[in-house]
Amino acid sequence: MSLENVRTFMRERGFESRIIELPQSSATVALAAEALHTDPDRIAKTLAFMVEDRPVVIVVAGNRKIDNAKYRHKFGTKAKMLSPDSLPDLVGHEMGGVCPFALKPGVGVYLDESLRDYATVFPACGSGNSAIELGIDELESLASPSEWIDVSKMPDA
């Protein structure tokens, strides 16, 4: 159902034909990079958190992780990821297909500055075997983020 919601969302904006449905899983950064024959850094992973009583998603480059200090400074709370079981009800997508499109009403969307390192990135499209290649301006237009933020770091940092 989530993929169909994203498909409808993309159809209304003229992007449906660009959705890539894969015969294999793309549910993790490594699997998506392998399936799409691209660098893992270009996978736009969407992470879901609870900020106070509101779910938010943050899209970051595939080679990044959340920097807890930056996150706390930005949101005033400790980073607490949503449980996989709560994702469909709170965000609208299951784990592996979480993306910044066709979300449940009230979900906040943030794009991390790490994405600006790439001309194009590959976010999921609502299922664990779908993606779409988007330029950064296209991603911003489609995701309609609340803002661009800097809450990530390299894993070894």
Side-chain angles (χ1 to χ4, degrees):
M1 186 68 176
S2 184
L3 173 60
E4 290 310 313
N5 291 342
V6 173
R7 187 180 309 286
T8 299
F9 176 91
M10 291 297 181
R11 182 180 312 120
E12 292 168 355
R13 291 154 181 82
F15 285 82
E16 180 186 20
S17 66
R18 292 175 52 186
I19 294 174
I20 304 163
E21 286 190 73
L22 300 157
Q24 71 269 40
S25 176
S26 61
T28 67
V29 169
L31 290 172
E34 183 178 328
L36 295 164
H37 308 289
T38 192
D39 185 3
D41 301 0
R42 291 181 58 217
I43 303 302
K45 64 182 174 184
T46 305
L47 306 171
F49 300 89
M50 188 61 79
V51 175
E52 296 177 6
D53 296 340
R54 180 178 178 218
V56 301
V57 296
I58 301 173
V59 186
V60 301
N63 63 336
R64 299 297 187 103
K65 69 179 199 174
I66 296 299
D67 181 307
N68 288 321
K70 289 180 179 180
Y71 183 98
R72 191 176 309 106
H73 183 262
K74 172 63 190 164
F75 294 106
T77 188
K78 183 178 177 181
K80 182 182 178 198
M81 290 190 73
L82 294 176
S83 70
D85 292 343
S86 69
L87 288 170
D89 288 337
L90 294 175
V91 176
H93 304 299
E94 292 187 8
M95 188 164 72
V98 177
C99 62
F101 319 116
L103 297 164
K104 295 273 186 167
V107 176
V109 177
Y110 297 88
L111 301 179
D112 187 75
E113 290 291 336
S114 61
L115 297 166
R116 294 190 196 265
D117 291 343
Y118 309 96
T120 63
V121 293
F122 293 89
C125 282
S127 71
N129 69 325
S130 64
I132 187 168
E133 184 175 13
L134 296 171
I136 300 306
D137 290 344
E138 292 172 323
L139 174 64
E140 182 176 22
S141 175
L142 290 167
S144 300
S146 297
E147 64 184 291
W148 282 88
I149 59 175
D150 177 13
V151 295
S152 71
K153 67 180 180 178
M154 296 299 286
D156 55 359

